[in-house]
Amino acid sequence: SRRLANTVREVLMKLHASGDDYLETILVLQKKLGMVRSVDVARHMEVSKPSVCHAVATLRDGGFLTMDSDYFLHLTDVGRAVAEKIYERHCFFTEQLIAAGVDPETAEADACRLEHCISDESFLKLQRKMPSAPKRSAVLWNMPRAFRPFEPMVLAEQKMRR
Protein backbone atom coordinates (compact mmCIF):
# COMPACT_ATOMS: atom_id res chain seq x y z
CA SER A 1 0.00 0.00 0.00
CA ARG A 2 2.80 2.41 0.91
CA ARG A 3 4.68 1.37 -2.22
CA LEU A 4 1.59 2.05 -4.33
CA ALA A 5 1.23 5.47 -2.66
CA ASN A 6 4.84 6.31 -3.54
CA THR A 7 4.26 5.15 -7.09
CA VAL A 8 1.13 7.29 -7.32
CA ARG A 9 3.04 10.32 -6.03
CA GLU A 10 5.75 9.82 -8.66
CA VAL A 11 3.15 9.28 -11.34
CA LEU A 12 1.25 12.43 -10.44
CA MET A 13 4.42 14.42 -10.91
CA LYS A 14 4.64 13.10 -14.50
CA LEU A 15 1.00 13.52 -15.50
CA HIS A 16 -0.49 16.75 -16.76
CA ALA A 17 -3.86 17.98 -15.67
CA SER A 18 -5.38 16.69 -18.92
CA GLY A 19 -4.06 13.18 -18.23
CA ASP A 20 -5.61 13.35 -14.79
CA ASP A 21 -8.90 14.45 -16.33
CA TYR A 22 -8.92 11.53 -18.76
CA LEU A 23 -8.22 9.03 -15.97
CA GLU A 24 -10.89 10.61 -13.77
CA THR A 25 -13.41 10.53 -16.61
CA ILE A 26 -12.68 6.87 -17.35
CA LEU A 27 -13.18 6.04 -13.66
CA VAL A 28 -16.50 7.89 -13.56
CA LEU A 29 -17.74 6.30 -16.77
CA GLN A 30 -16.69 2.81 -15.64
CA LYS A 31 -18.75 3.24 -12.48
CA LYS A 32 -21.66 4.61 -14.49
CA LEU A 33 -21.57 2.41 -17.61
CA GLY A 34 -19.45 -0.57 -16.62
CA MET A 35 -17.46 -0.75 -19.85
CA VAL A 36 -15.90 2.32 -21.50
CA ARG A 37 -14.63 3.00 -25.00
CA SER A 38 -12.78 6.05 -26.32
CA VAL A 39 -15.96 7.35 -27.95
CA ASP A 40 -17.67 7.44 -24.52
CA VAL A 41 -14.79 9.50 -23.15
CA ALA A 42 -14.94 11.88 -26.13
CA ARG A 43 -18.69 12.45 -25.67
CA HIS A 44 -18.42 12.91 -21.92
CA MET A 45 -15.51 15.34 -22.06
CA GLU A 46 -16.81 17.04 -25.21
CA VAL A 47 -13.48 16.62 -27.01
CA SER A 48 -12.61 15.12 -30.39
CA LYS A 49 -12.03 11.39 -30.89
CA PRO A 50 -8.47 12.01 -32.15
CA SER A 51 -7.70 13.88 -28.91
CA VAL A 52 -8.95 10.92 -26.88
CA CYS A 53 -6.98 8.46 -29.03
CA HIS A 54 -3.79 10.44 -28.45
CA ALA A 55 -4.43 10.66 -24.70
CA VAL A 56 -5.30 6.96 -24.49
CA ALA A 57 -2.08 6.01 -26.31
CA THR A 58 -0.03 8.20 -23.96
CA LEU A 59 -1.75 6.84 -20.84
CA ARG A 60 -1.46 3.26 -22.12
CA ASP A 61 2.26 3.74 -22.80
CA GLY A 62 2.63 5.19 -19.29
CA GLY A 63 1.01 2.12 -17.74
CA PHE A 64 -2.15 3.88 -16.54
CA LEU A 65 -4.65 1.98 -18.65
CA THR A 66 -5.04 -0.90 -21.05
CA MET A 67 -7.28 -1.48 -24.03
CA ASP A 68 -8.70 -4.93 -24.76
CA SER A 69 -9.38 -6.54 -28.15
CA ASP A 70 -12.90 -5.03 -28.16
CA TYR A 71 -11.41 -1.54 -27.60
CA PHE A 72 -12.71 -1.21 -24.05
CA LEU A 73 -10.54 0.85 -21.71
CA HIS A 74 -9.44 -0.54 -18.33
CA LEU A 75 -7.56 1.38 -15.64
CA THR A 76 -4.47 -0.32 -14.24
CA ASP A 77 -3.95 -0.30 -10.46
CA VAL A 78 -1.81 2.82 -10.75
CA GLY A 79 -4.27 4.48 -13.16
CA ARG A 80 -7.17 3.73 -10.81
CA ALA A 81 -5.25 5.11 -7.81
CA VAL A 82 -4.52 8.34 -9.67
CA ALA A 83 -8.12 8.64 -10.90
CA GLU A 84 -9.59 8.04 -7.43
CA LYS A 85 -7.23 10.58 -5.88
CA ILE A 86 -8.19 13.25 -8.42
CA TYR A 87 -11.89 12.43 -8.16
CA GLU A 88 -11.76 12.68 -4.35
CA ARG A 89 -10.22 16.13 -4.62
CA HIS A 90 -12.73 17.18 -7.26
CA CYS A 91 -15.68 16.24 -5.03
CA PHE A 92 -14.12 17.83 -1.95
CA PHE A 93 -13.43 21.18 -3.59
CA THR A 94 -16.78 21.31 -5.38
CA GLU A 95 -18.67 20.61 -2.13
CA GLN A 96 -16.60 23.07 -0.08
CA LEU A 97 -16.94 25.87 -2.62
CA ILE A 98 -20.71 25.39 -2.96
CA ALA A 99 -21.04 25.30 0.84
CA ALA A 100 -19.10 28.59 0.98
CA GLY A 101 -21.70 30.16 -1.30
CA VAL A 102 -19.88 29.95 -4.63
CA ASP A 103 -22.17 29.55 -7.63
CA PRO A 104 -22.27 25.82 -8.52
CA GLU A 105 -21.00 26.33 -12.07
CA THR A 106 -18.07 28.39 -10.83
CA ALA A 107 -17.42 25.92 -8.00
CA GLU A 108 -17.29 23.03 -10.48
CA ALA A 109 -14.92 24.87 -12.83
CA ASP A 110 -12.67 25.99 -9.95
CA ALA A 111 -12.62 22.49 -8.44
CA CYS A 112 -11.39 21.15 -11.79
CA ARG A 113 -8.40 23.48 -11.55
CA LEU A 114 -7.74 23.11 -7.81
CA GLU A 115 -7.71 19.30 -7.89
CA HIS A 116 -4.54 19.35 -10.00
CA CYS A 117 -2.37 21.96 -8.30
CA ILE A 118 -2.59 21.16 -4.59
CA SER A 119 0.03 19.03 -2.85
CA ASP A 120 -0.88 15.86 -0.97
CA GLU A 121 0.12 17.49 2.31
CA SER A 122 -2.00 20.59 1.79
CA PHE A 123 -5.00 18.60 0.62
CA LEU A 124 -4.89 16.24 3.62
CA LYS A 125 -4.61 19.16 6.05
CA LEU A 126 -7.51 20.97 4.39
CA GLN A 127 -9.59 17.80 4.50
CA ARG A 128 -8.95 17.42 8.24
CA LYS A 129 -9.62 21.09 9.05
CA MET A 130 -12.65 21.74 6.88
CA PRO A 131 -16.06 20.83 8.21
CA SER A 132 -18.06 18.42 6.12
CA ALA A 133 -19.82 20.46 3.48
CA PRO A 134 -23.56 19.98 3.19
CA LYS A 135 -24.43 17.88 0.18
CA ARG A 136 -25.98 19.91 -2.59
CA SER A 137 -27.11 17.18 -4.95
CA ALA A 138 -30.20 19.13 -6.03
CA VAL A 139 -27.97 22.00 -7.09
CA LEU A 140 -25.74 19.65 -9.09
CA TRP A 141 -28.70 18.36 -11.09
CA ASN A 142 -29.64 21.90 -12.12
CA MET A 143 -26.17 22.68 -13.48
CA PRO A 144 -25.53 22.70 -17.24
CA ARG A 145 -24.20 19.33 -18.50
CA ALA A 146 -20.72 20.71 -19.27
CA PHE A 147 -20.30 21.72 -15.62
CA ARG A 148 -21.59 18.56 -13.99
CA PRO A 149 -19.67 15.63 -15.43
CA PHE A 150 -19.49 13.75 -12.14
CA GLU A 151 -22.93 14.23 -10.60
CA PRO A 152 -24.07 10.58 -10.86
CA MET A 153 -21.04 9.43 -8.86
CA VAL A 154 -21.42 12.25 -6.33
CA LEU A 155 -25.02 11.23 -5.73
CA ALA A 156 -24.16 7.52 -5.51
CA GLU A 157 -21.41 8.22 -2.99
CA GLN A 158 -23.76 10.41 -0.96
CA LYS A 159 -26.25 7.56 -0.73
CA MET A 160 -23.49 5.17 0.38
CA ARG A 161 -22.41 7.55 3.17
CA ARG A 162 -25.92 7.66 4.68
Side-chain angles (χ1 to χ4, degrees):
S1 177
R2 185 170 176 83
R3 184 175 179 180
L4 181 60
N6 288 335
T7 303
V8 169
R9 196 172 303 110
E10 292 167 16
V11 164
L12 282 173
M13 302 286 269
K14 295 176 186 174
L15 273 183
H16 315 115
S18 65
D20 291 349
D21 288 339
Y22 280 101
L23 293 173
E24 184 180 19
T25 297
I26 293 166
L27 173 73
V28 169
L29 290 174
Q30 280 180 341
K31 290 187 179 196
K32 182 179 178 183
L33 305 174
M35 303 296 280
V36 179
R37 287 190 170 130
S38 294
V39 67
D40 302 317
V41 175
R43 281 189 200 124
H44 189 82
M45 294 181 74
E46 298 178 355
V47 296
S48 70
K49 290 179 198 173
S51 294
V52 175
C53 288
H54 177 72
V56 165
T58 302
L59 293 168
R60 187 183 59 228
D61 293 346
F64 301 103
L65 61 82
T66 61
M67 183 186 295
D68 66 25
S69 59
D70 292 321
Y71 303 100
F72 286 108
L73 304 174
H74 305 278
L75 295 171
T76 62
D77 289 343
V78 172
R80 179 169 296 284
V82 171
E84 287 175 350
K85 181 178 218 168
I86 296 301
Y87 179 69
E88 177 186 20
R89 292 173 181 207
H90 181 93
C91 292
F92 173 82
F93 286 121
T94 301
E95 291 171 1
Q96 291 297 327
L97 291 168
I98 291 172
V102 175
D103 173 77
E105 290 180 20
T106 303
E108 181 74 22
D110 288 347
C112 283
R113 288 187 293 275
L114 289 168
E115 69 194 26
H116 301 293
C117 64
I118 191 167
S119 69
D120 290 345
E121 179 185 2
S122 295
F123 179 69
L124 290 172
K125 289 188 187 246
L126 270 177
Q127 240 183 346
R128 287 187 202 123
K129 291 284 183 185
M130 301 296 281
S132 250
K135 307 303 180 217
R136 305 287 175 102
S137 57
V139 174
L140 287 173
W141 281 108
N142 293 322
M143 294 168 67
R145 181 74 188 127
F147 293 101
R148 56 183 176 97
F150 305 110
E151 83 280 358
M153 283 189 63
V154 171
L155 295 174
E157 286 182 9
Q158 289 172 2
K159 287 179 184 175
M160 289 174 55
R161 290 180 194 160
R162 291 181 190 155

